Amino acid sequence: MKQLFTVFLICKALLFTVSAQNAPAIIPKPKLVKMAGGQVTVSDITQLVIPQKNPGLSRLAEQYAGVLGLQKYKITESATPSFAQDKSLVFQLMQRESSKEYYSLTITKNGILVLATTERGFFYALQTLIQLLESQDPQKGALILPFIYIEDEPAFSYRGMHLDVARHFFTVEQVKQYLDLMARYKMNYFHWHLTDDQGWRIEIKKFPLLTEVGAWRKGTHQGHAHDKKAGSDNKPYGGYYTQAEISEVVRYAAERQIEVIPEIEMPGHSSAALAAYPEFGCTGGPYAVETRWGVFSDVFCTKDTSLWFVKEILNEVCSLFPGKYIHIGGDEVPRDRWKACNNCQAIRKRLALKNEDELQSYFIEQVGNHLFNKGKALIGWDEILDGGLAPNATVMSWRGVKGGIEAAKMKHNVIMCPGSHCYFDHYQSESPREPLAIGGFTNLEKVYSFNPVPEELKPAEARYVLGAQGNLWTEYIPDVNHLLYMAFPRAIALAEVLWTPASERNYLEFADRLRLHARWFQKNKINFSHSYLDLGYRTHTGKDGVEFSFVRPPVPGRILIESEKPEEGIVQDYTLSDTFLLDKSIEFAAWYQLPDNSLGRSLRLNYQHHLAAGKNINLLNSPSERYPGMGVQCLVNGFSAPETRYGGNEWIGLEGQDLEATIDLGAVKDLSQVSVQFFNAASSWIYLPVSLVILSSEDGKNYKEIARTVLAETEDRVIRPSVSMPEGSKSRYLRISAPNYGLIPKGKPGGGHKAWLFIGEIIVE
Ligand code: ACM
Ligand code: ZN
């Protein structure tokens, strides 16, 4: 170990840009900031000057005077508010064509002048002021503000966060904390996922059983959905919000310039509703509130009475939520029941609908028209595109950005929340110590790199992309601390993506500002994930081995390593070069040490050298954009993929396609066996290939089969079948072929879809 690393013991200069010393750590970063020398002491401000007859602004000014630390002050209403004799905080309403979210902030020796077009602009100016105060050196004692000029408005009008309270319930107080944090980062839409298979969480007076029955389940599945062993905990679980509580949350959000969008799931994800009122399903039940995670076949029937039922529910929902939008779900609707239902089929015939996709479209359109007549706008997940999009519908694009692009081209409004960048229930670090998550890999840097407007859209189409949203599904998030850990800091990164133009964003500089915010979370005892400070790694093709490089966290620090058998049993005090060659098997651990000497979590690696390690590999079928690993080279980089989860750097996912990998071993080699890691998780639509076939070639053109094995179905887990090569096998080129399982059988999760094939390490010996 030592000799391996000492060769590379070159202390490299730190590559980090340190942001301008006195630029304030405001997130999201304002559009324009100009600093001037000088500062004003907050307690010297003794006057609030606000526009006449504007109770909203008056309330806001008084509320925040305390928050900002003003002590004794008098309030003056003025037709033309401006700086007064005494140092003052002045709110001046301005006319401006553009954004109702615009504000400017000027701090001089006279105090603070805020200009905005609406109450929202003033609210955002105050959030900026609070962060400006937090940016000051805490050692200084008195609260001071620097002389500064800020002009600001957001890049996108929709800056959302979603919260699933069906899978796990969060109290009104916890929801309020979530709203507080959204407001701090100037997010303005709260998408409240109130109903799902595992619980109905909103009181509907006309249908009391929705909460009496639908809000309670008999237990909760333990472990991952594809882990069948643990089963349910058999502990009754539930909860719901009364209408008074709903109104209180709506009011609280509005005070923070946040519109609440309720989501009432239909026609799918409706087990809880059907458990309460089975007559609105196709089969009549009985149904149960689900204790497991997934997609379930029992959905609302499309018959007239079921439509009446959901419209009556929506009538109450519309009167509770004053905002424009009502979300009706529309995602993941199996068609099995509709196909077998006389009522559904009679409707299909009556309306001459071609298939069940059009039946889904019919259902959504009926609901959309109803909402439209009540002055509301329908939002649905991108499945509402199937079978034709309802007029005026806004599409929330979650299965990638494809649905969003399609809708924008059809001149429909779009909110982007592709799983790849906006699902905060995904893992946020490669560390095995991350808490159990649904899967996927969406780290802070990836969120920060998000561009909500795909390049395919022409400017006239791009206008329809209103913004984006971070989604927090809570199957694997049982409590509020865990929720905060998953949400922050990823939501903060998204807030900046949606506020600050891409040309002004830089991840390292953001991470530098984020450190101050991390301290704020710590000071306020609000959970926050430091996973973005984990050390990462990448591998590349190397000469006779694997070129390994560390991926440094986005803050200055140094890398420390420990070998398999540390001579002194301690972390060796090496500052490592970032790149080196691995050419023999080795286990090692590495840490990142921050300037305050704190160590991040360890990165523990087990490199297993083999004949294909670091060699060139090509795939006939490209990996899915959602599961690209760290590039196809990860299949032969000497690091096995983790057994506990798919996604991340070491797994590659093929959607419906065969594995057809060609490896150039560089020279003719003696071969004894080939083994390949495959993930197997039917509940996540991931299946083993039907067989594993090895072909070889001397010239890289003509291949012949040399060995094969057929893979039997097994329980869900990672398997690593190996195929022995015939005696005396030699070859330079290998082709590894593993045909995809094909279409998922009806009745299984994802039935009718193409199976996913996940491949980890290919080991050639
Ligand atoms: C979704 O994640 N099913 C919208
Ligand atoms: Zn039916």
Side-chain angles (χ1 to χ4, degrees):
M1 178 70 183
K2 194 153 189 178
Q3 101 219 42
L4 177 74
F5 283 118
T6 39
V7 180
F8 303 99
L9 258 177
I10 313 154
C11 204
K12 275 198 187 168
L14 292 177
L15 295 171
F16 297 94
T17 51
V18 177
S19 61
Q21 277 306 310
N22 42 10
I26 297 165
I27 301 178
K29 186 178 177 180
K31 196 161 138 183
L32 174 73
V33 178
K34 284 191 184 151
M35 308 278 294
Q39 60 197 34
V40 61
T41 303
V42 175
S43 57
D44 291 347
I45 297 174
T46 53
Q47 206 165 341
L48 300 185
V49 190
I50 53 176
Q52 280 173 335
K53 299 197 184 77
N54 193 322
L57 286 189
S58 171
R59 205 177 326 111
L60 196 64
E62 287 205 61
Q63 184 189 347
Y64 276 85
V67 177
L68 292 170
L70 270 63
Q71 283 150 10
K72 285 210 187 85
Y73 54 86
K74 70 171 197 272
I75 302 178
T76 313
E77 290 197 358
S78 162
T80 54
S82 60
F83 281 128
Q85 199 86 45
D86 307 325
K87 285 191 183 17
S88 39
L89 166 62
V90 184
F91 279 9
Q92 203 178 86
L93 266 170
M94 65 184 291
Q95 299 298 322
R96 191 181 143 106
E97 281 301 300
S98 69
S99 168
K100 66 179 178 39
E101 301 188 293
Y102 171 92
Y103 71 92
S104 81
L105 184 62
T106 313
I107 303 177
T108 69
K109 62 181 184 351
N110 299 318
I112 307 165
L113 172 65
V114 182
L115 266 68
T117 62
T118 64
E119 187 175 326
R120 177 170 294 186
F122 289 103
F123 181 81
Y124 289 157
L126 290 163
Q127 303 314 308
T128 297
L129 265 176
I130 289 170
Q131 291 194 14
L132 256 182
L133 278 173
E134 289 164 10
S135 287
Q136 302 310 302
D137 184 351
Q139 308 302 333
K140 283 200 178 137
L143 288 175
I144 49 153
L145 285 165
F147 292 175
I148 201 167
Y149 175 70
I150 293 177
E151 216 178 277
D152 205 8
E153 64 190 321
F156 290 95
S157 63
Y158 187 106
R159 304 179 301 280
M161 281 299 291
H162 153 285
L163 177 62
D164 166 12
V165 295
R167 275 56 177 268
H168 282 100
F169 182 67
F170 296 89
T171 64
V172 168
E173 284 315 304
Q174 291 165 344
V175 170
K176 285 182 174 177
Q177 182 181 32
Y178 199 72
L179 292 167
D180 285 340
L181 292 166
M182 284 177 62
R184 176 176 161 87
Y185 295 102
K186 304 187 176 85
M187 297 188 104
N188 60 355
Y189 284 94
F190 173 52
H191 172 172
W192 205 0
H193 185 80
L194 286 163
T195 74
D196 214 303
D197 297 300
Q198 298 81 4
W200 184 280
R201 309 269 176 244
I202 173 173
E203 178 189 25
I204 301 295
K205 301 231 192 252
K206 186 159 190 151
F207 305 114
L209 297 182
L210 282 171
T211 42
E212 278 172 36
V213 173
W216 308 96
R217 61 177 181 249
K218 290 205 174 83
T220 301
H221 180 83
Q222 300 296 290
H224 199 279
H226 58 61
D227 179 1
K228 301 282 185 296
K229 286 185 287 291
S232 166
D233 63 1
N234 296 315
K235 287 189 195 144
Y237 183 95
Y240 67 92
Y241 309 103
T242 63
Q243 293 201 350
E245 287 173 325
I246 295 272
S247 297
E248 168 58 13
V249 168
V250 168
R251 183 203 63 76
Y252 191 88
E255 240 180 50
R256 284 153 186 77
Q257 303 300 326
I258 295 170
E259 178 174 326
V260 184
I261 301 175
E263 181 181 355
I264 307 297
E265 271 271 23
M266 62 187 76
H269 287 290
S270 48
S271 304
L274 292 178
Y277 294 94
E279 59 270 39
F280 303 119
C282 288
T283 64
Y287 308 105
V289 182
E290 279 296 342
T291 61
R292 300 162 300 151
W293 316 126
V295 173
F296 302 95
S297 301
D298 287 306
V299 302
F300 284 121
C301 183
T302 58
K303 64 192 174 195
D304 295 347
T305 51
S306 300
L307 274 163
W308 167 83
F309 178 62
V310 300
K311 287 177 190 172
E312 288 293 322
I313 292 171
L314 289 174
N315 288 347
E316 286 192 36
V317 171
C318 288
S319 62
L320 286 168
F321 294 88
K324 170 170 136 189
Y325 292 116
I326 304 287
H327 199 306
I328 53 77
D331 60 322
E332 300 180 316
V333 188
R335 315 288 201 232
D336 334 355
R337 295 292 183 260
W338 294 351
K339 283 187 179 153
C341 171
N342 291 339
N343 288 319
C344 288
Q345 292 306 317
I347 290 165
R348 234 195 75 185
K349 290 216 183 70
R350 185 177 90 210
L351 302 172
L353 304 177
K354 283 205 286 293
N355 50 32
E356 283 69 29
D357 283 357
E358 292 193 358
L359 207 48
Q360 148 108 347
S361 175
Y362 157 77
F363 188 99
I364 304 291
E365 188 170 338
Q366 294 302 301
V367 172
N369 290 343
H370 184 73
L371 291 174
F372 184 77
N373 291 336
K374 297 182 74 67
K376 300 287 189 184
L378 175 147
I379 304 186
W381 299 109
D382 58 54
E383 285 94 330
I384 65 170
L385 284 152
D386 300 346
L389 189 53
N392 306 307
T394 295
V395 170
M396 220 171 231
S397 191
W398 72 282
R399 297 176 302 173
V401 293
K402 214 168 91 267
I405 293 170
E406 196 182 324
K409 286 186 185 290
M410 290 160 67
K411 300 187 164 45
H412 280 253
N413 284 336
V414 170
I415 295 153
M416 290 294 191
C417 48
S420 55
H421 294 77
C422 296
Y423 269 46
F424 300 163
D425 57 339
H426 287 181
Y427 285 102
Q428 54 189 319
S429 157
E430 292 280 341
S431 170
R433 276 181 279 167
E434 280 298 314
L436 179 71
I438 192 162
F441 182 68
T442 304
N443 66 1
L444 187 68
E445 185 169 9
K446 198 158 174 195
V447 178
Y448 197 77
S449 73
F450 184 46
N451 176 9
V453 181
E455 276 161 15
E456 289 101 304
L457 291 179
K458 300 192 188 85
E461 297 159 346
R463 275 194 302 124
Y464 291 97
V465 179
L466 305 179
Q469 171 175 288
N471 288 348
L472 265 160
W473 303 101
T474 57
E475 289 95 328
Y476 303 97
I477 303 180
D479 60 56
V480 72
N481 277 334
H482 194 150
L483 177 73
L484 294 165
Y485 179 89
M486 299 305 273
F488 298 97
R490 287 185 287 190
I492 302 177
L494 185 64
E496 182 146 306
V497 164
L498 293 170
W499 187 279
T500 310
S503 58
E504 298 299 310
R505 295 200 311 262
N506 173 296
Y507 181 59
L508 289 184
E509 188 267 328
F510 165 74
D512 190 40
R513 274 178 287 131
L514 187 61
R515 288 162 73 190
L516 207 99
H517 292 255
R519 255 176 263 150
W520 179 87
F521 274 76
Q522 188 174 25
K523 193 172 127 216
N524 289 284
K525 299 189 169 54
I526 302 171
N527 210 9
F528 179 95
S529 170
H530 297 280
S531 303
Y532 73 106
L533 299 178
D534 286 348
L535 193 55
Y537 72 96
R538 288 286 179 279
T539 56
H540 300 278
T541 308
K543 185 157 169 22
D544 296 321
V546 170
E547 197 179 293
F548 178 97
S549 48
F550 284 111
V551 178
R552 289 167 173 267
V555 294
R558 60 184 192 148
I559 297 165
L560 304 175
I561 58 152
E562 180 190 66
S563 69
E564 187 182 8
K565 293 194 187 79
E567 276 151 39
E568 274 142 40
I570 54 162
V571 177
Q572 294 181 36
D573 193 10
Y574 293 158
T575 302
L576 262 187
S577 154
D578 285 9
T579 300
F580 47 88
L581 188 78
L582 293 170
D583 58 3
K584 44 173 108 56
S585 295
I586 186 169
E587 277 185 53
F588 62 100
W591 285 259
Y592 200 62
Q593 188 177 42
L594 299 177
D596 66 3
N597 289 332
S598 62
L599 282 184
R601 294 189 293 198
S602 62
L603 173 69
R604 291 183 185 277
L605 293 170
N606 184 357
Y607 173 74
Q608 271 187 288
H609 196 63
H610 59 85
L611 291 177
K615 297 295 190 271
N616 273 312
I617 180 167
N618 285 299
L619 295 194
L620 180 66
N621 298 314
S622 302
S624 153
E625 277 174 29
R626 285 167 64 191
Y627 297 104
M630 63 170 90
V632 294
Q633 211 276 327
C634 77
L635 296 179
V636 286
N637 69 353
F639 295 105
S640 291
E643 306 244 320
T644 50
R645 51 163 132 148
Y646 60 92
N649 283 332
E650 295 288 353
W651 284 108
I652 275 188
L654 294 169
E655 190 174 8
Q657 289 181 307
D658 304 332
L659 170 69
E660 185 90 36
T662 306
I663 303 170
D664 177 358
L665 297 174
V668 175
K669 296 281 163 78
D670 294 326
L671 302 171
S672 60
Q673 73 166 19
V674 173
S675 60
V676 185
Q677 271 186 306
F678 294 110
F679 207 90
N680 183 24
S683 61
S684 300
W685 313 7
I686 302 170
Y687 282 74
L688 296 179
V690 289
S691 60
L692 176 59
V693 183
I694 314 299
L695 302 92
S696 75
S697 167
E698 295 297 320
D699 57 7
K701 293 193 189 89
N702 302 300
Y703 283 85
K704 63 172 198 299
E705 181 178 323
I706 51 173
R708 72 158 58 214
T709 184
V710 173
L711 303 182
E713 290 194 28
T714 65
E715 62 186 37
D716 287 0
R717 62 188 162 86
V718 173
I719 69 153
R720 192 195 282 263
S722 49
V723 188
S724 297
M725 302 295 111
E727 230 9 79
S729 291
K730 281 181 198 300
S731 174
R732 169 165 174 180
Y733 299 94
L734 279 181
R735 181 162 292 162
I736 320 289
S737 172
N740 190 290
Y741 180 88
L743 284 186
I744 298 171
K746 291 273 158 64
K748 299 229 166 136
H753 287 260
K754 296 176 194 162
W756 284 85
L757 172 57
F758 270 77
I759 309 109
E761 184 74 0
I762 300 173
I763 298 178
V764 180
E765 289 160 309

